[in-house]
């Protein structure tokens, strides 16, 4: 099952599944898709918030992360 986070990011390396490039700002994170989603939502400390992400996407991602966390 594809993670929703992959709708907004893509792998930059076939060998490293933790390297994810943001579709919006092109920033690459090297710690996996979960961190990429935190980057899009942007309310986590130690994670830089995406500056190019549309508000609608941010909300969608936030709702999804909250559901999974409960
Ligand atoms: Zn971004």
């Amino acid at each position: 099952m594809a993670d929703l986070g992959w709708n907004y990011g893509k792998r930059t390396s076939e060998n490293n599944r933790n390297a994810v490039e943001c579709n919006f700002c092109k920033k690459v994170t090297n710690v996996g898709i979960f961190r990429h989603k935190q980057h899009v939502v942007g309310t986590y400390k130690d994670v830089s918030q995406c500056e190019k992400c549309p508000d609608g996407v941010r909300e969608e991602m936030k709702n999804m992360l909250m559901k999974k966390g409960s």
Side-chain angles (χ1 to χ4, degrees):
M1 184 69 190
D3 195 300
L4 181 65
W6 292 113
N7 290 350
Y8 309 117
K10 67 177 185 215
R11 245 175 235 188
T12 60
S13 163
E14 285 188 16
N15 301 320
N16 181 5
R17 56 174 286 128
N18 287 327
V20 184
E21 181 186 281
C22 179
N23 280 2
F24 304 113
C25 69
K26 307 301 180 195
K27 180 186 170 75
V28 176
T29 53
N30 290 299
V31 278
I33 191 64
F34 186 68
R35 177 60 64 91
H36 170 66
K37 289 186 285 189
Q38 291 181 326
H39 159 73
V40 170
V41 174
T43 54
Y44 299 84
K45 66 175 184 178
D46 303 330
V47 184
S48 66
Q49 181 176 48
C50 187
E51 295 176 355
K52 302 270 175 69
C53 172
D55 287 344
V57 171
R58 213 191 298 282
E59 282 299 309
E60 179 187 25
M61 197 71 87
K62 187 188 281 183
N63 290 339
M64 188 190 65
L65 284 180
M66 279 164 45
K67 260 183 222 154
K68 274 195 176 167
S70 63

Short mmCIF file of all heavy atoms in Angstrom, two decimals:
data_model
loop_
_atom_site.label_atom_id
_atom_site.label_comp_id
_atom_site.label_asym_id
_atom_site.label_seq_id
_atom_site.Cartn_x
_atom_site.Cartn_y
_atom_site.Cartn_z
N MET A 1 0.85 -1.21 0.00
CA MET A 1 0.00 0.00 0.00
C MET A 1 0.88 1.25 0.00
O MET A 1 1.72 1.43 0.86
CB MET A 1 -0.90 -0.03 1.25
CG MET A 1 -1.89 1.12 1.31
SD MET A 1 -3.16 0.98 0.02
CE MET A 1 -3.93 2.58 0.17
N ALA A 2 0.67 2.09 -0.98
CA ALA A 2 1.50 3.30 -1.09
C ALA A 2 1.15 4.29 0.02
O ALA A 2 -0.02 4.51 0.32
CB ALA A 2 1.30 3.94 -2.45
N ASP A 3 2.16 4.86 0.58
CA ASP A 3 1.97 5.88 1.60
C ASP A 3 1.57 7.20 0.93
O ASP A 3 2.12 7.56 -0.10
CB ASP A 3 3.28 6.06 2.36
CG ASP A 3 3.09 6.82 3.65
OD1 ASP A 3 2.64 7.97 3.59
OD2 ASP A 3 3.39 6.26 4.70
N LEU A 4 0.63 7.89 1.53
CA LEU A 4 0.18 9.17 0.96
C LEU A 4 1.34 10.15 0.81
O LEU A 4 1.33 11.00 -0.08
CB LEU A 4 -0.90 9.78 1.86
CG LEU A 4 -1.50 11.10 1.38
CD1 LEU A 4 -2.26 10.93 0.07
CD2 LEU A 4 -2.43 11.69 2.44
N GLY A 5 2.32 10.02 1.66
CA GLY A 5 3.48 10.91 1.58
C GLY A 5 4.16 10.87 0.22
O GLY A 5 4.74 11.86 -0.22
N TRP A 6 4.07 9.74 -0.45
CA TRP A 6 4.71 9.62 -1.77
C TRP A 6 3.98 10.42 -2.84
O TRP A 6 4.50 10.61 -3.94
CB TRP A 6 4.81 8.15 -2.19
CG TRP A 6 5.77 7.38 -1.33
CD1 TRP A 6 5.46 6.37 -0.47
CD2 TRP A 6 7.19 7.55 -1.24
NE1 TRP A 6 6.60 5.92 0.14
CE2 TRP A 6 7.66 6.61 -0.32
CE3 TRP A 6 8.09 8.41 -1.87
CZ2 TRP A 6 9.02 6.52 0.00
CZ3 TRP A 6 9.43 8.32 -1.55
CH2 TRP A 6 9.89 7.38 -0.63
N ASN A 7 2.77 10.87 -2.55
CA ASN A 7 2.09 11.76 -3.49
C ASN A 7 2.80 13.11 -3.59
O ASN A 7 2.66 13.83 -4.57
CB ASN A 7 0.65 12.03 -3.03
CG ASN A 7 -0.23 10.80 -3.17
OD1 ASN A 7 0.17 9.82 -3.78
ND2 ASN A 7 -1.41 10.86 -2.62
N TYR A 8 3.56 13.42 -2.56
CA TYR A 8 4.16 14.75 -2.48
C TYR A 8 5.68 14.69 -2.39
O TYR A 8 6.32 15.68 -2.08
CB TYR A 8 3.58 15.51 -1.28
CG TYR A 8 2.07 15.47 -1.29
CD1 TYR A 8 1.36 14.85 -0.28
CD2 TYR A 8 1.37 16.04 -2.34
CE1 TYR A 8 -0.02 14.80 -0.31
CE2 TYR A 8 -0.01 15.99 -2.38
CZ TYR A 8 -0.70 15.37 -1.37
OH TYR A 8 -2.07 15.31 -1.40
N GLY A 9 6.22 13.55 -2.64
CA GLY A 9 7.67 13.41 -2.61
C GLY A 9 8.07 12.25 -3.50
O GLY A 9 7.25 11.41 -3.86
N LYS A 10 9.32 12.22 -3.87
CA LYS A 10 9.78 11.10 -4.69
C LYS A 10 11.16 10.65 -4.24
O LYS A 10 11.94 11.43 -3.68
CB LYS A 10 9.79 11.48 -6.16
CG LYS A 10 10.83 12.54 -6.48
CD LYS A 10 10.83 12.81 -7.96
CE LYS A 10 11.95 13.79 -8.29
NZ LYS A 10 11.64 14.71 -9.35
N ARG A 11 11.44 9.40 -4.52
CA ARG A 11 12.73 8.84 -4.17
C ARG A 11 13.82 9.45 -5.05
O ARG A 11 13.62 9.62 -6.25
CB ARG A 11 12.70 7.34 -4.40
CG ARG A 11 12.85 6.55 -3.13
CD ARG A 11 12.68 5.09 -3.42
NE ARG A 11 11.62 4.58 -2.56
CZ ARG A 11 11.33 3.30 -2.45
NH1 ARG A 11 11.95 2.42 -3.19
NH2 ARG A 11 10.39 2.92 -1.64
N THR A 12 14.94 9.75 -4.47
CA THR A 12 16.04 10.29 -5.26
C THR A 12 17.07 9.23 -5.56
O THR A 12 17.97 9.44 -6.35
CB THR A 12 16.72 11.46 -4.52
OG1 THR A 12 17.24 10.97 -3.29
CG2 THR A 12 15.74 12.58 -4.24
N SER A 13 16.95 8.08 -4.93
CA SER A 13 17.92 7.01 -5.12
C SER A 13 17.22 5.66 -5.08
O SER A 13 16.34 5.45 -4.25
CB SER A 13 19.00 7.07 -4.02
OG SER A 13 19.69 5.84 -3.96
N GLU A 14 17.58 4.77 -5.97
CA GLU A 14 16.97 3.44 -5.95
C GLU A 14 17.47 2.63 -4.77
O GLU A 14 16.82 1.71 -4.31
CB GLU A 14 17.30 2.70 -7.26
CG GLU A 14 16.48 3.20 -8.43
CD GLU A 14 16.69 2.31 -9.66
OE1 GLU A 14 17.19 1.19 -9.51
OE2 GLU A 14 16.35 2.78 -10.76
N ASN A 15 18.65 2.96 -4.31
CA ASN A 15 19.26 2.18 -3.24
C ASN A 15 18.92 2.67 -1.85
O ASN A 15 19.02 1.94 -0.89
CB ASN A 15 20.79 2.17 -3.40
CG ASN A 15 21.20 1.58 -4.73
OD1 ASN A 15 20.62 0.60 -5.19
ND2 ASN A 15 22.18 2.19 -5.36
N ASN A 16 18.54 3.93 -1.77
CA ASN A 16 18.27 4.52 -0.46
C ASN A 16 16.81 4.95 -0.38
O ASN A 16 16.44 6.01 -0.85
CB ASN A 16 19.20 5.70 -0.22
CG ASN A 16 18.97 6.33 1.15
OD1 ASN A 16 18.18 5.82 1.95
ND2 ASN A 16 19.65 7.41 1.42
N ARG A 17 15.98 4.11 0.22
CA ARG A 17 14.56 4.43 0.28
C ARG A 17 14.26 5.53 1.29
O ARG A 17 13.13 5.99 1.40
CB ARG A 17 13.73 3.18 0.56
CG ARG A 17 14.09 2.43 1.82
CD ARG A 17 13.10 1.30 2.07
NE ARG A 17 11.83 1.79 2.54
CZ ARG A 17 10.65 1.47 2.02
NH1 ARG A 17 10.59 0.65 1.02
NH2 ARG A 17 9.54 1.97 2.50
N ASN A 18 15.26 5.94 2.03
CA ASN A 18 15.04 7.01 3.00
C ASN A 18 15.32 8.40 2.43
O ASN A 18 15.06 9.39 3.08
CB ASN A 18 15.93 6.79 4.23
CG ASN A 18 15.41 5.63 5.08
OD1 ASN A 18 14.21 5.41 5.15
ND2 ASN A 18 16.30 4.92 5.69
N ALA A 19 15.84 8.45 1.23
CA ALA A 19 16.09 9.74 0.60
C ALA A 19 14.84 10.16 -0.18
O ALA A 19 14.46 9.52 -1.15
CB ALA A 19 17.30 9.66 -0.33
N VAL A 20 14.20 11.23 0.27
CA VAL A 20 12.95 11.67 -0.33
C VAL A 20 13.06 13.14 -0.72
O VAL A 20 13.41 13.99 0.10
CB VAL A 20 11.76 11.50 0.66
CG1 VAL A 20 10.45 11.89 -0.01
CG2 VAL A 20 11.70 10.08 1.19
N GLU A 21 12.74 13.43 -1.98
CA GLU A 21 12.75 14.81 -2.43
C GLU A 21 11.34 15.38 -2.37
O GLU A 21 10.41 14.79 -2.90
CB GLU A 21 13.29 14.91 -3.86
CG GLU A 21 13.35 16.34 -4.36
CD GLU A 21 13.74 16.38 -5.83
OE1 GLU A 21 14.92 16.24 -6.15
OE2 GLU A 21 12.83 16.55 -6.68
N CYS A 22 11.19 16.54 -1.76
CA CYS A 22 9.90 17.18 -1.66
C CYS A 22 9.44 17.69 -3.03
O CYS A 22 10.20 18.34 -3.73
CB CYS A 22 10.01 18.36 -0.68
SG CYS A 22 8.47 19.27 -0.50
N ASN A 23 8.20 17.39 -3.40
CA ASN A 23 7.68 17.84 -4.69
C ASN A 23 7.49 19.34 -4.75
O ASN A 23 7.45 19.93 -5.82
CB ASN A 23 6.32 17.18 -4.96
CG ASN A 23 6.47 15.76 -5.46
OD1 ASN A 23 7.57 15.25 -5.59
ND2 ASN A 23 5.36 15.13 -5.76
N PHE A 24 7.37 19.96 -3.60
CA PHE A 24 7.06 21.40 -3.58
C PHE A 24 8.32 22.26 -3.56
O PHE A 24 8.48 23.14 -4.39
CB PHE A 24 6.20 21.72 -2.36
CG PHE A 24 4.94 20.92 -2.32
CD1 PHE A 24 4.73 19.98 -1.32
CD2 PHE A 24 3.96 21.08 -3.28
CE1 PHE A 24 3.57 19.22 -1.29
CE2 PHE A 24 2.80 20.33 -3.27
CZ PHE A 24 2.60 19.40 -2.26
N CYS A 25 9.21 21.99 -2.63
CA CYS A 25 10.38 22.86 -2.48
C CYS A 25 11.68 22.19 -2.91
O CYS A 25 12.73 22.81 -2.88
CB CYS A 25 10.49 23.36 -1.04
SG CYS A 25 10.93 22.08 0.14
N LYS A 26 11.61 20.91 -3.31
CA LYS A 26 12.77 20.16 -3.80
C LYS A 26 13.81 19.87 -2.74
O LYS A 26 14.91 19.43 -3.04
CB LYS A 26 13.47 20.90 -4.98
CG LYS A 26 12.53 21.27 -6.09
CD LYS A 26 11.85 20.05 -6.68
CE LYS A 26 10.90 20.44 -7.82
NZ LYS A 26 9.99 19.34 -8.15
N LYS A 27 13.44 20.11 -1.49
CA LYS A 27 14.34 19.76 -0.41
C LYS A 27 14.40 18.24 -0.26
O LYS A 27 13.39 17.56 -0.37
CB LYS A 27 13.84 20.39 0.90
CG LYS A 27 14.69 20.12 2.11
CD LYS A 27 13.99 20.69 3.36
CE LYS A 27 14.66 20.24 4.65
NZ LYS A 27 15.92 20.94 4.91
N VAL A 28 15.59 17.73 -0.02
CA VAL A 28 15.76 16.28 0.15
C VAL A 28 15.97 15.96 1.62
O VAL A 28 16.82 16.55 2.28
CB VAL A 28 16.96 15.77 -0.67
CG1 VAL A 28 17.18 14.27 -0.40
CG2 VAL A 28 16.73 16.02 -2.15
N THR A 29 15.17 15.06 2.12
CA THR A 29 15.39 14.55 3.47
C THR A 29 15.93 13.13 3.35
O THR A 29 15.58 12.39 2.43
CB THR A 29 14.09 14.53 4.30
OG1 THR A 29 13.08 13.83 3.57
CG2 THR A 29 13.60 15.93 4.58
N ASN A 30 16.78 12.75 4.27
CA ASN A 30 17.44 11.44 4.18
C ASN A 30 17.03 10.50 5.30
O ASN A 30 17.74 9.56 5.61
CB ASN A 30 18.96 11.63 4.20
CG ASN A 30 19.45 12.27 2.92
OD1 ASN A 30 19.29 11.70 1.85
ND2 ASN A 30 20.03 13.43 3.03
N VAL A 31 15.89 10.79 5.88
CA VAL A 31 15.47 9.97 7.02
C VAL A 31 14.08 9.38 6.82
O VAL A 31 13.39 9.06 7.78
CB VAL A 31 15.53 10.77 8.33
CG1 VAL A 31 16.94 10.80 8.87
CG2 VAL A 31 15.02 12.17 8.13
N GLY A 32 13.67 9.24 5.57
CA GLY A 32 12.47 8.46 5.31
C GLY A 32 11.21 9.27 5.06
O GLY A 32 11.15 10.47 5.27
N ILE A 33 10.18 8.54 4.62
CA ILE A 33 8.94 9.17 4.21
C ILE A 33 8.19 9.80 5.38
O ILE A 33 7.50 10.80 5.22
CB ILE A 33 8.04 8.14 3.46
CG1 ILE A 33 6.86 8.82 2.79
CG2 ILE A 33 7.57 7.04 4.39
CD1 ILE A 33 7.29 9.81 1.69
N PHE A 34 8.34 9.24 6.56
CA PHE A 34 7.63 9.82 7.70
C PHE A 34 8.15 11.22 8.00
O PHE A 34 7.38 12.14 8.26
CB PHE A 34 7.77 8.91 8.94
CG PHE A 34 6.96 9.37 10.10
CD1 PHE A 34 5.57 9.31 10.04
CD2 PHE A 34 7.56 9.88 11.24
CE1 PHE A 34 4.80 9.74 11.11
CE2 PHE A 34 6.80 10.32 12.31
CZ PHE A 34 5.42 10.24 12.26
N ARG A 35 9.46 11.38 7.92
CA ARG A 35 10.03 12.70 8.15
C ARG A 35 9.62 13.68 7.05
O ARG A 35 9.39 14.86 7.30
CB ARG A 35 11.56 12.59 8.24
CG ARG A 35 12.26 13.92 8.42
CD ARG A 35 11.83 14.63 9.69
NE ARG A 35 12.20 13.92 10.90
CZ ARG A 35 13.34 14.11 11.56
NH1 ARG A 35 14.19 15.00 11.16
NH2 ARG A 35 13.61 13.41 12.63
N HIS A 36 9.51 13.17 5.85
CA HIS A 36 9.06 14.03 4.75
C HIS A 36 7.66 14.56 5.04
O HIS A 36 7.36 15.73 4.82
CB HIS A 36 9.07 13.26 3.43
CG HIS A 36 8.40 13.99 2.31
ND1 HIS A 36 8.92 15.17 1.80
CD2 HIS A 36 7.26 13.76 1.63
CE1 HIS A 36 8.10 15.60 0.84
NE2 HIS A 36 7.10 14.77 0.72
N LYS A 37 6.80 13.72 5.55
CA LYS A 37 5.44 14.15 5.88
C LYS A 37 5.46 15.20 6.99
O LYS A 37 4.70 16.17 6.96
CB LYS A 37 4.58 12.95 6.29
CG LYS A 37 4.27 12.05 5.09
CD LYS A 37 3.31 10.95 5.44
CE LYS A 37 4.00 9.88 6.24
NZ LYS A 37 3.15 8.68 6.41
N GLN A 38 6.36 15.00 7.96
CA GLN A 38 6.49 16.00 9.02
C GLN A 38 6.97 17.33 8.44
O GLN A 38 6.55 18.40 8.88
CB GLN A 38 7.48 15.51 10.08
CG GLN A 38 6.93 14.33 10.87
CD GLN A 38 7.91 13.87 11.93
OE1 GLN A 38 9.11 13.93 11.74
NE2 GLN A 38 7.39 13.41 13.05
N HIS A 39 7.83 17.26 7.45
CA HIS A 39 8.31 18.47 6.78
C HIS A 39 7.15 19.21 6.11
O HIS A 39 7.06 20.43 6.16
CB HIS A 39 9.38 18.07 5.75
CG HIS A 39 9.62 19.07 4.67
ND1 HIS A 39 10.29 20.25 4.89
CD2 HIS A 39 9.29 19.07 3.35
CE1 HIS A 39 10.35 20.93 3.75
NE2 HIS A 39 9.75 20.24 2.80
N VAL A 40 6.24 18.46 5.49
CA VAL A 40 5.10 19.09 4.82
C VAL A 40 4.17 19.74 5.85
O VAL A 40 3.71 20.87 5.69
CB VAL A 40 4.33 18.05 3.97
CG1 VAL A 40 3.00 18.63 3.48
CG2 VAL A 40 5.19 17.60 2.78
N VAL A 41 3.89 19.01 6.93
CA VAL A 41 3.00 19.54 7.96
C VAL A 41 3.66 20.69 8.71
O VAL A 41 3.06 21.75 8.92
CB VAL A 41 2.59 18.42 8.95
CG1 VAL A 41 1.78 18.99 10.11
CG2 VAL A 41 1.77 17.36 8.22
N GLY A 42 4.90 20.47 9.11
CA GLY A 42 5.73 21.55 9.61
C GLY A 42 5.51 21.98 11.05
O GLY A 42 6.00 23.02 11.44
N THR A 43 4.81 21.21 11.83
CA THR A 43 4.59 21.62 13.22
C THR A 43 5.46 20.84 14.18
O THR A 43 5.24 20.86 15.38
CB THR A 43 3.11 21.43 13.62
OG1 THR A 43 2.73 20.08 13.34
CG2 THR A 43 2.22 22.37 12.85
N TYR A 44 6.48 20.16 13.66
CA TYR A 44 7.34 19.37 14.51
C TYR A 44 8.66 20.09 14.75
O TYR A 44 9.24 20.65 13.84
CB TYR A 44 7.62 18.01 13.86
CG TYR A 44 6.37 17.21 13.64
CD1 TYR A 44 5.59 17.42 12.50
CD2 TYR A 44 5.96 16.27 14.58
CE1 TYR A 44 4.42 16.70 12.30
CE2 TYR A 44 4.80 15.55 14.39
CZ TYR A 44 4.03 15.77 13.25
OH TYR A 44 2.89 15.06 13.06
N LYS A 45 9.12 20.03 15.98
CA LYS A 45 10.43 20.62 16.23
C LYS A 45 11.49 19.73 15.61
O LYS A 45 11.31 18.53 15.47
CB LYS A 45 10.66 20.83 17.73
CG LYS A 45 10.76 19.58 18.54
CD LYS A 45 11.11 19.94 19.99
CE LYS A 45 11.30 18.67 20.80
NZ LYS A 45 11.70 18.97 22.18
N ASP A 46 12.58 20.32 15.27
CA ASP A 46 13.69 19.63 14.61
C ASP A 46 13.40 19.29 13.16
O ASP A 46 14.20 18.66 12.49
CB ASP A 46 14.11 18.35 15.34
CG ASP A 46 14.49 18.60 16.78
OD1 ASP A 46 14.99 19.71 17.07
OD2 ASP A 46 14.29 17.71 17.61
N VAL A 47 12.23 19.69 12.64
CA VAL A 47 11.92 19.45 11.24
C VAL A 47 11.57 20.78 10.59
O VAL A 47 10.69 21.49 11.06
CB VAL A 47 10.72 18.48 11.09
CG1 VAL A 47 10.48 18.18 9.62
CG2 VAL A 47 10.95 17.21 11.87
N SER A 48 12.26 21.11 9.51
CA SER A 48 11.98 22.37 8.84
C SER A 48 10.66 22.27 8.07
O SER A 48 10.37 21.26 7.44
CB SER A 48 13.11 22.73 7.88
OG SER A 48 13.17 21.79 6.83
N GLN A 49 9.85 23.30 8.16
CA GLN A 49 8.56 23.28 7.49
C GLN A 49 8.71 23.62 6.01
O GLN A 49 9.51 24.47 5.64
CB GLN A 49 7.63 24.31 8.14
CG GLN A 49 6.24 24.33 7.49
CD GLN A 49 5.30 25.27 8.21
OE1 GLN A 49 5.63 26.41 8.50
NE2 GLN A 49 4.12 24.79 8.52
N CYS A 50 7.92 22.94 5.19
CA CYS A 50 7.93 23.23 3.77
C CYS A 50 7.32 24.60 3.51
O CYS A 50 6.22 24.89 3.98
CB CYS A 50 7.15 22.15 3.02
SG CYS A 50 7.29 22.32 1.24
N GLU A 51 8.03 25.41 2.76
CA GLU A 51 7.54 26.77 2.51
C GLU A 51 6.70 26.87 1.26
O GLU A 51 6.06 27.88 1.00
CB GLU A 51 8.73 27.73 2.43
CG GLU A 51 9.47 27.85 3.74
CD GLU A 51 10.71 28.72 3.62
OE1 GLU A 51 11.02 29.15 2.50
OE2 GLU A 51 11.34 28.97 4.65
N LYS A 52 6.70 25.81 0.44
CA LYS A 52 5.99 25.87 -0.84
C LYS A 52 4.71 25.04 -0.84
O LYS A 52 3.97 25.03 -1.81
CB LYS A 52 6.92 25.35 -1.95
CG LYS A 52 8.22 26.12 -2.06
CD LYS A 52 8.07 27.28 -3.02
CE LYS A 52 9.31 28.14 -3.06
NZ LYS A 52 10.43 27.46 -3.70
N CYS A 53 4.48 24.35 0.22
CA CYS A 53 3.35 23.43 0.27
C CYS A 53 2.01 24.19 0.36
O CYS A 53 1.87 25.07 1.20
CB CYS A 53 3.50 22.53 1.49
SG CYS A 53 2.08 21.51 1.79
N PRO A 54 1.03 23.85 -0.49
CA PRO A 54 -0.28 24.50 -0.40
C PRO A 54 -0.97 24.15 0.92
O PRO A 54 -0.78 23.06 1.44
CB PRO A 54 -1.06 23.89 -1.57
CG PRO A 54 -0.05 23.27 -2.46
CD PRO A 54 1.12 22.90 -1.60
N ASP A 55 -1.78 25.07 1.42
CA ASP A 55 -2.45 24.85 2.71
C ASP A 55 -3.32 23.59 2.71
O ASP A 55 -3.38 22.87 3.69
CB ASP A 55 -3.31 26.06 3.07
CG ASP A 55 -2.47 27.25 3.49
OD1 ASP A 55 -1.27 27.04 3.78
OD2 ASP A 55 -3.00 28.37 3.51
N GLY A 56 -3.98 23.33 1.61
CA GLY A 56 -4.85 22.16 1.53
C GLY A 56 -4.10 20.86 1.73
O GLY A 56 -4.56 19.96 2.41
N VAL A 57 -2.93 20.79 1.13
CA VAL A 57 -2.10 19.59 1.27
C VAL A 57 -1.61 19.46 2.70
O VAL A 57 -1.59 18.38 3.27
CB VAL A 57 -0.91 19.64 0.29
CG1 VAL A 57 0.07 18.52 0.59
CG2 VAL A 57 -1.42 19.55 -1.14
N ARG A 58 -1.23 20.58 3.28
CA ARG A 58 -0.74 20.57 4.66
C ARG A 58 -1.82 20.02 5.60
O ARG A 58 -1.55 19.19 6.47
CB ARG A 58 -0.34 21.98 5.09
CG ARG A 58 0.82 21.99 6.06
CD ARG A 58 1.03 23.35 6.67
NE ARG A 58 1.38 24.41 5.73
CZ ARG A 58 2.58 24.58 5.19
NH1 ARG A 58 3.56 23.78 5.50
NH2 ARG A 58 2.81 25.56 4.37
N GLU A 59 -3.04 20.49 5.40
CA GLU A 59 -4.16 20.02 6.22
C GLU A 59 -4.40 18.53 6.04
O GLU A 59 -4.62 17.78 7.00
CB GLU A 59 -5.44 20.80 5.86
CG GLU A 59 -5.50 22.19 6.46
CD GLU A 59 -5.45 22.15 7.98
OE1 GLU A 59 -6.25 21.42 8.58
OE2 GLU A 59 -4.60 22.86 8.56
N GLU A 60 -4.40 18.11 4.79
CA GLU A 60 -4.63 16.70 4.49
C GLU A 60 -3.60 15.82 5.19
O GLU A 60 -3.92 14.80 5.81
CB GLU A 60 -4.57 16.50 2.97
CG GLU A 60 -4.78 15.08 2.53
CD GLU A 60 -4.53 14.91 1.03
OE1 GLU A 60 -3.79 15.71 0.45
OE2 GLU A 60 -5.11 13.98 0.45
N MET A 61 -2.36 16.23 5.09
CA MET A 61 -1.28 15.45 5.67
C MET A 61 -1.36 15.45 7.19
O MET A 61 -1.14 14.44 7.84
CB MET A 61 0.05 16.05 5.22
CG MET A 61 1.21 15.13 5.41
SD MET A 61 1.15 13.76 4.23
CE MET A 61 2.02 14.50 2.85
N LYS A 62 -1.70 16.60 7.74
CA LYS A 62 -1.80 16.71 9.19
C LYS A 62 -2.88 15.77 9.72
O LYS A 62 -2.68 15.04 10.68
CB LYS A 62 -2.12 18.16 9.57
CG LYS A 62 -2.07 18.42 11.06
CD LYS A 62 -2.58 19.80 11.39
CE LYS A 62 -1.54 20.87 11.13
NZ LYS A 62 -2.00 22.23 11.51
N ASN A 63 -4.03 15.77 9.04
CA ASN A 63 -5.13 14.90 9.46
C ASN A 63 -4.72 13.43 9.41
O ASN A 63 -5.06 12.64 10.28
CB ASN A 63 -6.36 15.13 8.58
CG ASN A 63 -6.99 16.47 8.84
OD1 ASN A 63 -6.80 17.07 9.88
ND2 ASN A 63 -7.74 16.96 7.86
N MET A 64 -4.00 13.09 8.37
CA MET A 64 -3.58 11.70 8.21
C MET A 64 -2.60 11.29 9.32
O MET A 64 -2.71 10.22 9.89
CB MET A 64 -2.94 11.50 6.84
CG MET A 64 -2.66 10.04 6.55
SD MET A 64 -1.67 9.89 5.07
CE MET A 64 -0.16 10.67 5.64
N LEU A 65 -1.65 12.18 9.61
CA LEU A 65 -0.66 11.86 10.64
C LEU A 65 -1.34 11.73 12.00
O LEU A 65 -0.98 10.87 12.80
CB LEU A 65 0.41 12.95 10.70
CG LEU A 65 1.44 12.93 9.59
CD1 LEU A 65 2.43 14.07 9.78
CD2 LEU A 65 2.18 11.62 9.53
N MET A 66 -2.33 12.55 12.25
CA MET A 66 -3.01 12.50 13.54
C MET A 66 -3.81 11.21 13.67
O MET A 66 -3.87 10.60 14.73
CB MET A 66 -3.89 13.73 13.72
CG MET A 66 -3.06 14.93 14.19
SD MET A 66 -3.86 16.54 14.02
CE MET A 66 -5.47 16.21 14.65
N LYS A 67 -4.42 10.77 12.59
CA LYS A 67 -5.17 9.51 12.62
C LYS A 67 -4.26 8.33 12.92
O LYS A 67 -4.56 7.47 13.71
CB LYS A 67 -5.83 9.29 11.26
CG LYS A 67 -7.31 9.65 11.24
CD LYS A 67 -7.91 9.34 9.89
CE LYS A 67 -8.86 10.45 9.42
NZ LYS A 67 -8.97 10.51 7.98
N LYS A 68 -3.11 8.32 12.26
CA LYS A 68 -2.19 7.22 12.46
C LYS A 68 -1.62 7.21 13.87
O LYS A 68 -1.31 6.18 14.42
CB LYS A 68 -1.02 7.31 11.45
CG LYS A 68 -1.36 6.64 10.14
CD LYS A 68 -0.11 6.43 9.31
CE LYS A 68 -0.44 5.67 8.04
NZ LYS A 68 0.65 5.72 7.08
N GLY A 69 -1.49 8.41 14.43
CA GLY A 69 -0.87 8.48 15.74
C GLY A 69 -1.80 8.09 16.88
O GLY A 69 -1.35 7.81 17.98
N SER A 70 -3.08 8.03 16.61
CA SER A 70 -4.02 7.76 17.70
C SER A 70 -4.23 6.26 17.90
O SER A 70 -3.88 5.48 17.04
CB SER A 70 -5.36 8.42 17.42
OG SER A 70 -5.94 7.88 16.26
ZN1 LIG B 1 9.08 20.93 0.94
#
